[in-house]
Amino acid sequence: MPRKTGDASAAAEKRHWVRLTRACNQRCLFCHDRGAQNGKSLAFASVKGDLARGRRQGLRRVVLSGGEPTLHPRFLDIVALSRKLGYEHIQVVSNGRRFCYPGFLKEAVEAGLDELTLSLHGHTRDLHDRLTRVPGSFVQSLAALKSALAVSGLIVSVDVVINALNLPVLAELLGFYIGLGVREFDLLALVPFGDAWENRSELYCDFSKPENLASLHRALELSREPGLHFFTNRLRPEFLEGFESLIQPPEKILDEVRGRKHLFDRWLAGGPKPDCAGEACPQCFLRDFCQDLERTLKDKSLPPKVGTLCLGRRSRPEAVSAAKPFRFGRKRDIIAYSEFFIAARYFVKSRGCGGCAWTGRCAGIAVREAREKGFGILKPAGAARGAAGGARG
């Protein structure tokens, strides 16, 4: 019988993320959470309150995270509490090392665990342990994966943080785990914070370089195999040409914003920019979002972009309010701005757009439309007419 996996509709359903710890038993080279860690677990009462809030909001899926969530002394109680409160789907994102103990895995499933996402960044001991900076972590995590795959009904997925050390062998890495029975993968781009930024000279890979893009696309070819489910996280849309269905849903920007809402609210109230602003901005998934926000604060308004002129039309954003320039109301609402940005400013160009006669006046195609219809619908004018988008897949 085929293994149970997530599906596209489930992936799009809003989830309630609950942090259990500010501690981890690894020291990953690319950790962006290091500054938030103090080696402690959150109080059980605090976790309980957070879980209850999610249910009051009508959320049915919960993700238990950290740090490393399994380090919480009452982790199994928290899984059971999640089920008792009415969550229909309970997921944990973990490095997996505690799950290498069969008794711990069995108890977690019995308590109500539905999905286990394991963070595995290499397919060999040398590569994985180099990235986690913990000798022996690969052996433990691999044992956990094999045990989890043997549990009937448990959804098992693998997270991979793409970086310069594993990108050249990313296809082999994914192939290794597919061979073990994994059917669902989430490929994450680096976040330019914390250790990831401190170690950028060793980790960062520029996907605008042909050799790096080729390695990425070679790995993504595996997503075409029947029965496999691939998702991407924070990979810029222009690097997914030919694999447009893997572009992260534009609405995911709202999750990014909500996670830093206090920083944006402070900025909108006249305070300083978010603490992350500076040298790392060009590497950030939200760089255009923040640049547009700064322009809005300076100019007091932000116009919608003009796109797809090669199709003889202007962009027609889905949101009615996006048909005219955005202006903040008396209360500056970062969510309202985010919705405008997604509908009217979140555009991308294909590889064929560079030589188009309209390139100076056109922003390209809305990311939402590129994801749904592909870059192949574009018809660059002039010299580039026959080169629209390159490989279509």
Side-chain angles (χ1 to χ4, degrees):
M1 183 176 71
R3 283 201 54 78
K4 185 178 178 183
T5 63
D7 56 32
S9 60
E13 186 176 357
K14 187 175 180 181
R15 304 177 182 197
H16 187 47
W17 286 74
V18 178
R19 178 192 277 268
L20 305 191
T21 70
R22 294 187 180 278
C24 188
N25 52 356
Q26 294 187 164
R27 304 188 309 279
C28 294
L29 276 171
F30 45 74
C31 180
H32 68 272
D33 192 50
R34 186 82 60 212
Q37 295 184 15
N38 58 15
K40 298 180 180 179
S41 297
L42 276 70
F44 182 77
S46 175
V47 173
K48 182 178 181 180
D50 198 352
L51 288 168
R53 271 193 300 277
R55 288 298 297 131
R56 288 196 297 270
Q57 294 169 5
L59 300 178
R60 301 179 301 170
R61 301 172 70 92
V62 64
V63 182
L64 306 178
S65 68
E68 172 51 45
T70 62
L71 295 182
H72 196 290
R74 299 192 64 180
F75 173 77
L76 297 172
D77 292 334
I78 291 169
V79 174
L81 175 62
S82 300
R83 181 67 75 211
K84 183 178 180 180
L85 289 173
Y87 284 100
E88 297 174 8
H89 189 93
I90 303 166
Q91 177 183 358
V92 62
V93 179
S94 168
N95 60 39
R97 292 172 58 200
R98 286 202 71 190
F99 287 108
C100 76
Y101 302 103
F104 186 80
L105 175 62
K106 181 174 182 292
E107 289 184 74
V109 172
E110 290 175 348
L113 186 65
D114 297 293
E115 182 172 354
L116 175 58
T117 298
L118 296 177
S119 299
L120 295 162
H121 312 293
H123 61 307
T124 65
R125 181 181 60 188
D126 289 346
L127 177 57
H128 184 82
D129 290 4
R130 180 180 178 186
L131 287 166
T132 65
R133 294 191 283 193
V134 176
S137 60
F138 178 69
V139 172
Q140 290 185 314
S141 296
L142 185 60
L145 175 66
K146 291 179 178 179
S147 295
L149 288 169
V151 177
S152 177
L154 180 66
I155 297 173
V156 181
S157 58
V158 165
D159 276 355
V160 182
V161 174
I162 303 173
N163 60 81
L165 298 180
N166 64 19
L167 178 60
V169 294
L170 185 59
E172 289 78 10
L173 184 158
L174 298 174
F176 173 78
Y177 290 114
I178 291 170
L180 292 178
V182 178
R183 294 294 176 262
E184 186 169 320
F185 296 90
D186 196 0
L187 306 179
L188 295 83
L190 287 168
V191 177
F193 312 134
D195 286 3
W197 186 244
E198 292 298 320
N199 297 312
R200 60 189 180 277
S201 62
E202 186 175 7
L203 295 174
Y204 269 87
C205 38
D206 182 358
F207 289 115
S208 66
K209 293 184 177 180
E211 63 271 23
N212 288 337
L213 191 63
S215 292
L216 175 64
H217 285 189
R218 187 165 68 91
L220 295 182
E221 285 292 340
L222 293 168
S223 70
R224 306 190 196 282
E225 294 187 11
L228 297 184
H229 301 268
F230 277 54
F231 304 93
T232 68
N233 195 307
R234 301 188 182 101
L235 271 172
R236 294 185 64 82
E238 60 265 33
F239 301 133
L240 294 171
E241 189 163 354
F243 302 90
E244 290 89 345
S245 65
L246 298 182
I247 294 174
Q248 181 175 300
E251 293 73 20
K252 288 287 187 178
I253 287 178
L254 291 170
D255 292 337
E256 301 279 348
V257 172
R258 290 188 181 103
R260 301 177 177 87
K261 189 172 184 298
H262 63 292
L263 299 176
F264 284 114
D265 286 344
R266 183 184 65 184
W267 187 10
L268 294 182
K273 295 180 183 180
D275 300 339
C276 52
E279 186 183 359
C281 287
Q283 304 293 336
C284 184
F285 180 73
L286 291 179
R287 68 182 187 190
D288 298 334
F289 177 94
C290 291
Q291 287 174 358
D292 275 359
L293 180 56
E294 186 169 25
R295 176 180 171 183
T296 307
L297 294 173
K298 178 183 177 182
D299 297 343
K300 310 301 181 185
S301 69
L302 186 69
K305 284 186 174 180
V306 175
T308 55
L309 291 179
C310 65
L311 300 182
R313 60 184 169 89
R314 287 174 175 266
S315 169
R316 297 186 181 277
E318 292 180 4
V320 175
S321 61
K324 57 185 179 181
F326 175 82
R327 292 180 175 83
F328 282 114
R330 294 182 64 181
K331 181 179 180 181
R332 293 175 171 177
D333 184 351
I334 189 62
I335 301 301
Y337 163 79
S338 303
E339 291 171 345
F340 173 87
F341 176 85
I342 292 168
R345 298 285 301 182
Y346 194 29
F347 280 61
V348 63
K349 290 189 175 185
S350 80
R351 292 191 294 274
C353 289
C356 177
W358 295 101
T359 191
R361 298 176 56 189
C362 176
I365 186 172
V367 170
R368 179 184 285 110
E369 191 170 13
R371 184 173 184 267
E372 294 172 354
K373 301 178 182 179
F375 288 103
I377 68 169
L378 298 177
K379 304 183 188 306
R385 181 180 296 278
R392 295 293 167 220

Short mmCIF file of all heavy atoms in Angstrom, two decimals, residues 18 24 30 54 61 88 92 140 163 183 194 219 224-225 229 258 264 267 280 312 320 334 379 389:
data_model
loop_
_atom_site.label_atom_id
_atom_site.label_comp_id
_atom_site.label_asym_id
_atom_site.label_seq_id
_atom_site.Cartn_x
_atom_site.Cartn_y
_atom_site.Cartn_z
N VAL A 18 3.74 26.40 16.87
CA VAL A 18 3.92 26.57 18.31
C VAL A 18 5.36 26.21 18.68
O VAL A 18 5.79 25.06 18.50
CB VAL A 18 2.92 25.70 19.11
CG1 VAL A 18 3.17 25.85 20.61
CG2 VAL A 18 1.48 26.09 18.76
N CYS A 24 18.58 23.61 21.34
CA CYS A 24 18.78 22.62 20.28
C CYS A 24 20.01 21.79 20.63
O CYS A 24 20.95 22.28 21.27
CB CYS A 24 18.96 23.31 18.92
SG CYS A 24 18.97 22.13 17.54
N PHE A 30 23.97 26.79 9.36
CA PHE A 30 23.04 27.75 8.75
C PHE A 30 21.90 28.15 9.68
O PHE A 30 20.92 28.75 9.23
CB PHE A 30 22.44 27.15 7.47
CG PHE A 30 21.98 25.73 7.65
CD1 PHE A 30 20.84 25.44 8.35
CD2 PHE A 30 22.74 24.70 7.14
CE1 PHE A 30 20.43 24.13 8.54
CE2 PHE A 30 22.34 23.38 7.31
CZ PHE A 30 21.18 23.10 8.01
N GLY A 54 -4.78 28.92 19.12
CA GLY A 54 -4.94 28.44 17.77
C GLY A 54 -6.30 27.79 17.54
O GLY A 54 -6.93 28.00 16.50
N ARG A 61 -4.74 22.44 12.22
CA ARG A 61 -3.43 21.81 12.05
C ARG A 61 -2.42 22.56 12.91
O ARG A 61 -2.36 23.79 12.88
CB ARG A 61 -3.00 21.84 10.59
CG ARG A 61 -3.95 21.12 9.65
CD ARG A 61 -3.58 21.33 8.19
NE ARG A 61 -2.36 20.64 7.83
CZ ARG A 61 -2.31 19.41 7.32
NH1 ARG A 61 -3.44 18.73 7.11
NH2 ARG A 61 -1.17 18.84 7.01
N GLU A 88 -6.77 18.36 14.47
CA GLU A 88 -6.99 17.18 13.65
C GLU A 88 -5.70 16.65 13.03
O GLU A 88 -5.66 15.50 12.57
CB GLU A 88 -8.00 17.50 12.55
CG GLU A 88 -9.37 17.88 13.10
CD GLU A 88 -10.33 18.33 12.00
OE1 GLU A 88 -9.97 18.19 10.81
OE2 GLU A 88 -11.42 18.82 12.34
N VAL A 92 5.35 17.59 13.80
CA VAL A 92 6.53 18.08 14.50
C VAL A 92 7.67 18.20 13.50
O VAL A 92 7.83 17.34 12.62
CB VAL A 92 6.93 17.17 15.68
CG1 VAL A 92 7.30 15.77 15.22
CG2 VAL A 92 8.09 17.78 16.48
N GLN A 140 22.06 8.88 13.96
CA GLN A 140 20.83 8.92 14.75
C GLN A 140 19.63 9.36 13.92
O GLN A 140 18.55 8.76 13.99
CB GLN A 140 21.02 9.86 15.94
CG GLN A 140 21.96 9.32 17.00
CD GLN A 140 22.02 10.24 18.22
OE1 GLN A 140 22.13 11.46 18.10
NE2 GLN A 140 21.96 9.65 19.39
N ASN A 163 22.34 24.73 0.39
CA ASN A 163 23.51 25.59 0.62
C ASN A 163 24.64 25.15 -0.30
O ASN A 163 24.53 24.14 -1.01
CB ASN A 163 23.93 25.53 2.09
CG ASN A 163 24.30 24.13 2.53
OD1 ASN A 163 25.41 23.66 2.29
ND2 ASN A 163 23.35 23.43 3.16
N ARG A 183 8.63 10.32 0.34
CA ARG A 183 7.86 10.78 -0.82
C ARG A 183 7.54 12.27 -0.77
O ARG A 183 6.94 12.79 -1.70
CB ARG A 183 6.54 9.98 -0.91
CG ARG A 183 6.76 8.50 -1.22
CD ARG A 183 7.34 8.33 -2.62
NE ARG A 183 7.67 6.94 -2.96
CZ ARG A 183 8.88 6.42 -2.87
NH1 ARG A 183 9.89 7.16 -2.41
NH2 ARG A 183 9.12 5.18 -3.22
N GLY A 194 21.48 35.15 11.71
CA GLY A 194 22.15 34.24 12.62
C GLY A 194 23.39 33.58 12.04
O GLY A 194 24.19 34.20 11.33
N ALA A 219 18.22 18.59 -9.59
CA ALA A 219 17.54 17.99 -8.43
C ALA A 219 16.02 18.09 -8.58
O ALA A 219 15.29 17.14 -8.25
CB ALA A 219 18.00 18.69 -7.16
N ARG A 224 9.24 15.45 -10.87
CA ARG A 224 8.33 15.00 -11.92
C ARG A 224 7.97 13.52 -11.77
O ARG A 224 7.08 13.04 -12.48
CB ARG A 224 8.96 15.25 -13.29
CG ARG A 224 9.41 16.69 -13.53
CD ARG A 224 9.78 16.91 -14.99
NE ARG A 224 10.56 18.10 -15.20
CZ ARG A 224 10.08 19.35 -15.25
NH1 ARG A 224 8.79 19.55 -15.03
NH2 ARG A 224 10.88 20.38 -15.47
N GLU A 225 8.66 12.82 -10.90
CA GLU A 225 8.37 11.39 -10.73
C GLU A 225 7.01 11.21 -10.06
O GLU A 225 6.69 11.90 -9.08
CB GLU A 225 9.47 10.72 -9.90
CG GLU A 225 10.82 10.69 -10.59
CD GLU A 225 11.84 9.88 -9.80
OE1 GLU A 225 11.43 9.18 -8.84
OE2 GLU A 225 13.04 9.94 -10.15
N HIS A 229 6.11 14.44 -3.80
CA HIS A 229 5.58 15.77 -3.51
C HIS A 229 6.74 16.67 -3.08
O HIS A 229 7.41 16.40 -2.09
CB HIS A 229 4.54 15.71 -2.39
CG HIS A 229 3.37 14.81 -2.70
ND1 HIS A 229 2.22 15.26 -3.29
CD2 HIS A 229 3.20 13.47 -2.52
CE1 HIS A 229 1.38 14.26 -3.45
NE2 HIS A 229 1.96 13.15 -2.99
N ARG A 258 3.90 37.97 9.48
CA ARG A 258 3.35 37.75 10.82
C ARG A 258 4.44 37.34 11.81
O ARG A 258 4.39 37.70 12.98
CB ARG A 258 2.25 36.69 10.76
CG ARG A 258 0.98 37.17 10.04
CD ARG A 258 -0.14 36.16 10.20
NE ARG A 258 -1.34 36.60 9.49
CZ ARG A 258 -1.75 36.13 8.31
NH1 ARG A 258 -1.03 35.19 7.70
NH2 ARG A 258 -2.84 36.58 7.74
N PHE A 264 7.91 45.09 12.03
CA PHE A 264 7.29 45.95 11.02
C PHE A 264 6.41 47.02 11.67
O PHE A 264 6.39 48.18 11.24
CB PHE A 264 6.48 45.11 10.03
CG PHE A 264 7.32 44.36 9.04
CD1 PHE A 264 7.36 42.98 9.03
CD2 PHE A 264 8.07 45.05 8.09
CE1 PHE A 264 8.12 42.29 8.11
CE2 PHE A 264 8.84 44.36 7.15
CZ PHE A 264 8.87 42.98 7.17
N TRP A 267 8.49 49.80 12.87
CA TRP A 267 8.94 50.63 11.75
C TRP A 267 7.82 51.56 11.29
O TRP A 267 8.02 52.77 11.10
CB TRP A 267 9.39 49.71 10.62
CG TRP A 267 10.05 50.40 9.45
CD1 TRP A 267 10.46 51.69 9.37
CD2 TRP A 267 10.37 49.80 8.19
NE1 TRP A 267 11.03 51.95 8.14
CE2 TRP A 267 10.99 50.80 7.40
CE3 TRP A 267 10.21 48.52 7.67
CZ2 TRP A 267 11.42 50.56 6.10
CZ3 TRP A 267 10.66 48.28 6.38
CH2 TRP A 267 11.25 49.28 5.60
N ALA A 280 22.53 42.28 4.68
CA ALA A 280 21.92 41.01 4.29
C ALA A 280 20.71 41.19 3.37
O ALA A 280 20.26 40.22 2.76
CB ALA A 280 21.50 40.23 5.53
N GLY A 312 -0.57 42.15 -24.46
CA GLY A 312 -1.53 43.17 -24.84
C GLY A 312 -2.47 43.59 -23.74
O GLY A 312 -3.59 44.01 -23.97
N VAL A 320 -9.65 44.17 -5.63
CA VAL A 320 -10.18 45.41 -6.21
C VAL A 320 -9.38 46.61 -5.74
O VAL A 320 -9.09 47.52 -6.50
CB VAL A 320 -11.67 45.56 -5.84
CG1 VAL A 320 -12.19 46.91 -6.33
CG2 VAL A 320 -12.49 44.43 -6.44
N ILE A 334 0.29 46.68 8.46
CA ILE A 334 1.26 45.94 7.66
C ILE A 334 0.60 44.80 6.88
O ILE A 334 1.05 44.45 5.78
CB ILE A 334 2.41 45.40 8.55
CG1 ILE A 334 3.54 44.82 7.67
CG2 ILE A 334 1.90 44.35 9.53
CD1 ILE A 334 4.19 45.82 6.76
N LYS A 379 5.05 36.29 -24.26
CA LYS A 379 5.44 36.41 -25.66
C LYS A 379 6.28 37.67 -25.83
O LYS A 379 5.78 38.70 -26.30
CB LYS A 379 4.19 36.46 -26.55
CG LYS A 379 3.24 35.29 -26.38
CD LYS A 379 2.08 35.39 -27.35
CE LYS A 379 1.03 34.32 -27.05
NZ LYS A 379 1.57 32.98 -27.01
N GLY A 389 11.55 32.41 -22.03
CA GLY A 389 11.57 31.53 -20.89
C GLY A 389 12.48 30.33 -20.94
O GLY A 389 12.63 29.66 -19.94
#
